[in-house]
Amino acid sequence: MHPAFSVIFFTVASGTGYGMLFLMALLALAGRLPLDPWFAWPAFVIAFGLVTAGLLSSLLHLGHPERFLKALTQWRSSWLSREGVLAIATYAPAGLFALGWLFITADPAALGGVMAVLAVLTAALALATVFSTSMIYASLKPIPQWHRRDVPRAYLVLALAGGALAVNALGALTGSVTHLVPAIALIGLLLALLVKLGYWRGIASRKKIATAAAATGLDDGVRVRLLDPPHTEPNYLQKEMAYRIARKHADKLRRIALLAGFALPIVLVLASFGVGGGAAAALAVIAAVSAHIGFAVERWLFFAEATHTVTLYYGAESV
């Protein structure tokens, strides 16, 4: 599949934004996050900014963005529609929760009653939105690399890791976060690493779901190959669904994703436990930046390595 920049940016940015909202809501509700306005203001601005920028990027990716309201009406059958509905619905409790935090109370003990309900709704809707995004891909049977149970898991744990790293970096810069947030970031990174390694091993060892022989109505044991291309120039299907990358490039990009997205951030977060002040803040910021570079490479590979069964009619022998 063609890895469009707008979709890569959307999934990475909104995942981190929703991860931040999820963590801040639950940690504040548990009284484990100091409600320092020097931390809260930039944290909410960045979280809402990432979510909004991601959604706008996704909207611009549509062929007719002016029709997005019609797409929202198909929530009964479409994960894309459910994602849009949940994303819009999240703004209400998250916005009220942020306003309550910033303008009404600065005392963690005051997070009760209505604020507690808003925190739970914010966390639940943020989680549901990321899950719906993942199901847009996991529900597509013609693409075997996406139609897998570990795809939603990967989206959820990467959002958790990205959100925790961003909250940790802001907290370290403002001196507002204890060791709990970097510990959550470490757990999120390790879980995401295990899920991605399992995903890459799974797609490499999977059985082929269809062959060119079966697609053309011949016996599955017969070898069918393309004698001539069906077009003098690549058409839309070939550009969008028959995108190819060289295997050697995929291996290099996987190593970059592992190093920048997981190994380096894990080392930097661990190192930040042994230092304090500006050094810890610098390590936390570098860890967050490095991880998101790696996450972007990982997401590019997620799209680029996916193969659609329609490629059987354009030269692929099996999918």
Side-chain angles (χ1 to χ4, degrees), residues 160-252:
L160 173 66
L165 286 167
V167 172
N168 182 46
L170 283 171
L173 286 171
T174 58
S176 304
V177 175
T178 62
H179 287 331
L180 178 61
V181 175
I184 294 174
L186 275 178
I187 294 172
L189 284 169
L190 290 172
L191 288 175
L193 176 60
L194 291 175
V195 172
K196 285 310 302 182
L197 290 176
Y199 169 80
W200 283 332
R201 184 169 56 251
I203 64 172
S205 60
R206 69 177 179 84
K207 295 181 179 178
K208 303 296 184 181
I209 64 169
T211 65
T216 51
L218 301 174
D219 292 336
D220 204 19
V222 177
R223 183 185 179 191
V224 175
R225 63 185 179 89
L226 189 68
L227 294 177
D228 292 304
H231 307 279
T232 55
E233 293 183 356
N235 63 13
Y236 172 80
L237 290 177
Q238 289 171 290
K239 292 176 182 177
E240 290 296 320
M241 300 183 182
Y243 185 85
R244 295 182 180 183
I245 61 172
R247 175 57 58 187
K248 62 179 181 180
H249 293 160
D251 291 340
K252 289 179 182 177

Side-chain angles (χ1 to χ4, degrees), residues 17-18 20-21 24 42-54 90-99 102 122:
Y18 286 119
M20 291 180 68
L21 291 176
M24 288 193 295
F44 278 118
V45 168
I46 291 175
F48 282 112
L50 288 172
V51 167
T52 303
T90 305
Y91 277 105
L96 292 174
F97 177 71
L99 290 175
L102 297 172
T122 298

Side-chain angles (χ1 to χ4, degrees), residues 46-71:
I46 291 175
F48 282 112
L50 288 172
V51 167
T52 303
L55 292 174
L56 289 176
S57 177
S58 175
L59 188 64
L60 294 175
H61 182 71
L62 299 176
H64 292 279
E66 74 279 5
R67 300 177 184 172
F68 81 98
L69 288 177
K70 292 183 178 178

Side-chain angles (χ1 to χ4, degrees), residues 275-301:
V275 297
L283 292 173
V285 171
I286 296 172
V289 172
S290 174
H292 284 84
I293 292 173
F295 293 171
V297 174
E298 177 276 331
R299 200 52 51 85
W300 190 90
L301 278 168

